[in-house]
Amino acid sequence: MDIKLEKKPWYIRYRYYLAGAFLVCCGLIYVIVLASGPRRLRINAEHIQIEEVKQADFMEYVDVEGIVHPILTIIVNTREAGNVDQIIGEEGSLLKKGDTILTLTNPNLMREIEDQQDEWEKQRISYQEKALEMEQKSLTLKQQTLEAEYELNKIRKSFSLEKEEYAMGIRSKAQLEVSEDEYRYKTESTRLKLKSLQSDSSMTVIRKELLQNDRDREEKKLIRSRQRIEDLVVRSPINGQLSFVKVTPGQQVAAGENIAEVKVMDQFKIHTSLSEYYIDRVTTGLPAAITYQGKRYPLKISKVIPEVKDRLFEVDLVFTGEMPENVRLGKSFRVQIELGQPEQALVVPRGNFYQQTGGQWIYKVNADKTRAVKVPVTIGRQNPRQYEITEGLQPGDLVIVSGYDTFGEAEELVF
């Protein structure tokens, strides 16, 4: 027996199509809502770094790598030309001031010094002869002066006696006048003679002084010539390490040629290069420090070389207190150079977010740490540990400081 089938309503027959259309509409509505509202991104909170914005001390400093150099390097030059006879100092050895580095030979110099010594002996004999002559002349002048003074006293006494005889009437007035004229003549003559003798004596003294000066001068020249022999032995000018000797036995070297280098090892300096951005702010005396194995060692800038090469300029720093025990030439340290005094500022720890944002915005986390939204900020000064926040945040705010590479253009992050 056939059963009559009733026709189903249309919404029953097309229920699957209607359900599919409904789902499509819901999806379109969801997409529209998302497009019209902030773009959200779900992330794992364990993969991000959240830090608190704080009011704290801010110190502007530069963190750079420095290399340990000797505090002083002395270039050793030859004072005399010659051939390298023997190299005594070994490269890398520690020397004391005056230790021999190498010796030179110079036969021409030896002959020249011998000739000068022979010439000095001849001059010395000549000086002695002249000195004896002048000494003899001095004695003669003294004898003549003594005789002239004796004659003058004799004439004076004779004239006095004649005046007494005239007073007694023994001599006439005419005889007295003749004696008086003779007395005046002899007195004046003797006075001139004494003056001449005194002048000759003064000239003799001066000549003796000049002769002695000439002799001293020639003797000093001979001493300097003999010292040139000592200069054929090249010695260390200071206590230090002989870093290299760049000559070989038998090599001919000129006077003043650079042949070796000695480094002072009692103290060290740290050499580094800074960006030209800091050239107006870095001066000698600025404090700095290195931190090694948890201990801080203070430094100060001792020298600034203002010449800029490849947008960098060079700086030397010296230790102002204790040095690390394992300081070695060529070892590198991280150096923090302070550019001012600590100041109170609103700061956030340094992070990789700056590479994506350029310091123009940051993700700010809500109080219950369930989501974060993008907010504009203004970053002022910075150091290797902190950024100074001048606008956009308040003390106590939480922000994401890790990298934003995987966040895309999301305006809001949901944890």
Side-chain angles (χ1 to χ4, degrees):
M1 179 175 177
D2 294 334
I3 300 174
K4 184 180 179 181
L5 297 176
E6 295 182 359
K7 189 177 181 180
K8 296 180 180 179
W10 64 271
Y11 55 87
I12 297 297
R13 285 181 287 130
Y14 298 104
R15 62 183 179 276
Y16 297 109
Y17 296 101
L18 292 173
F22 177 75
L23 291 175
V24 170
C25 291
C26 289
L28 291 174
I29 292 172
Y30 180 74
V31 170
I32 292 171
V33 170
L34 286 179
S36 61
R39 282 167 287 187
R40 294 184 176 87
L41 177 67
R42 290 185 176 273
I43 62 171
N44 189 342
E46 295 179 355
H47 297 162
I48 61 175
Q49 181 183 354
I50 299 175
E51 297 288 349
E52 181 182 356
V53 180
K54 297 180 180 179
Q55 191 78 23
D57 284 339
F58 178 85
M59 169 66 77
E60 190 173 7
Y61 64 91
V62 184
D63 189 299
V64 291
E65 184 179 79
I67 307 298
V68 176
H69 286 209
I71 190 68
L72 181 64
T73 300
I74 301 295
I75 303 299
V76 181
N77 299 323
T78 56
R79 295 184 178 180
E80 290 291 338
N83 297 322
V84 179
D85 180 42
Q86 185 179 8
I87 299 176
I88 298 174
E90 297 182 358
E91 294 184 358
S93 61
L94 295 177
L95 302 176
K96 293 184 178 180
K97 184 178 180 179
D99 286 352
T100 301
I101 298 175
L102 56 84
T103 58
L104 302 173
T105 59
N106 189 334
N108 294 331
L109 176 62
M110 299 301 294
R111 285 194 296 270
E112 180 182 344
I113 293 175
E114 289 176 359
D115 293 342
Q116 288 181 351
Q117 188 163 356
D118 292 341
E119 182 64 25
W120 158 248
E121 288 297 330
K122 294 178 182 179
Q123 292 181 357
R124 185 178 64 82
I125 295 173
S126 176
Y127 289 152
Q128 288 179 346
E129 291 176 351
K130 291 179 180 179
L132 289 174
E133 290 176 1
M134 286 186 288
E135 185 67 26
Q136 184 65 38
K137 186 175 181 180
S138 296
L139 292 174
T140 301
L141 290 173
K142 289 180 180 178
Q143 180 65 32
Q144 292 175 353
T145 302
L146 182 63
E147 291 177 355
E149 289 177 346
Y150 172 75
E151 289 295 331
L152 183 60
N153 289 331
K154 185 177 179 182
I155 292 170
R156 186 180 298 111
K157 290 179 180 178
S158 176
F159 181 66
S160 297
L161 180 60
E162 290 177 355
K163 286 198 297 183
E164 290 179 359
E165 290 177 349
Y166 170 76
M168 296 171 59
I170 300 175
R171 283 184 175 272
S172 64
K173 184 176 182 182
Q175 289 176 329
L176 181 63
E177 289 177 354
V178 172
S179 298
E180 185 175 2
D181 291 340
E182 184 179 2
Y183 168 73
R184 289 175 181 172
Y185 166 76
K186 289 185 177 181
T187 300
E188 186 64 20
S189 175
T190 304
R191 187 183 63 80
L192 292 175
K193 187 175 182 180
L194 284 172
K195 187 174 182 181
S196 176
L197 290 173
Q198 289 175 356
S199 177
D200 289 344
S201 298
S202 299
M203 288 297 296
T204 301
V205 171
I206 294 174
R207 288 183 61 194
K208 288 177 68 176
E209 290 179 354
L210 292 175
L211 183 65
Q212 185 63 39
N213 291 338
D214 290 342
R215 179 176 178 176
D216 293 343
R217 186 163 52 250
E218 292 298 328
E219 187 174 7
K220 289 178 181 178
K221 287 173 63 177
L222 179 62
I223 293 173
R224 286 197 297 268
S225 297
R226 291 173 177 171
Q227 287 176 345
R228 295 180 65 186
I229 299 177
E230 291 293 325
D231 292 338
L232 292 175
V233 180
V234 181
R235 305 179 187 275
S236 174
I238 54 172
N239 297 338
Q241 184 183 50
L242 181 63
S243 57
F244 69 83
V245 178
K246 63 177 185 179
V247 293
T248 56
Q251 179 179 339
Q252 185 175 6
V253 296
E257 184 172 341
N258 174 13
I259 61 168
E261 186 178 273
V262 179
K263 296 179 178 178
V264 176
M265 304 298 290
D266 297 338
Q267 192 177 358
F268 300 92
K269 67 181 179 181
I270 294 183
H271 183 81
T272 187
S273 298
L274 299 177
S275 169
E276 62 180 350
Y277 171 78
Y278 300 105
I279 195 167
D280 293 330
R281 304 185 61 187
V282 174
T283 58
T284 56
L286 276 183
I290 61 172
T291 302
Y292 183 72
Q293 294 182 347
K295 188 173 181 180
R296 181 181 172 88
Y297 298 92
L299 303 161
K300 71 174 181 178
I301 294 179
S302 61
K303 184 179 181 181
V304 177
I305 303 174
E307 182 180 0
V308 177
K309 294 181 180 179
D310 299 327
R311 307 191 69 178
L312 299 173
F313 68 100
E314 298 179 350
V315 171
D316 288 339
L317 304 100
V318 295
F319 290 93
T320 58
E322 184 183 0
M323 292 189 299
E325 294 182 356
N326 64 336
V327 172
R328 297 292 183 273
L329 295 182
K331 186 177 179 63
S332 61
F333 290 97
R334 297 303 301 182
V335 183
Q336 293 82 40
I337 302 175
E338 300 176 6
L339 300 179
Q341 297 296 323
E343 298 178 1
Q344 280 288 309
L346 189 64
V347 297
V348 62
R350 207 175 171 93
N352 293 332
F353 75 94
Y354 192 87
Q355 278 67 31
Q356 283 74 41
T357 69
Q360 297 180 353
W361 55 272
I362 197 169
Y363 283 112
K364 178 180 175 181
V365 182
N366 61 359
D368 54 4
K369 297 184 180 180
T370 58
R371 63 186 63 241
V373 295
K374 184 188 294 186
V375 296
V377 294
T378 301
I379 291 180
R381 298 171 297 175
Q382 55 182 283
N383 62 36
R385 293 185 303 166
Q386 301 167 314
Y387 292 111
E388 180 189 23
I389 305 297
T390 58
E391 292 182 10
L393 296 174
Q394 298 294 327
D397 289 345
L398 300 176
V399 293
I400 299 175
V401 297
S402 52
Y404 295 172
D405 294 340
T406 60
F407 298 165
E409 300 294 329
E411 297 287 337
E412 184 176 347
L413 305 176
V414 179
F415 304 151

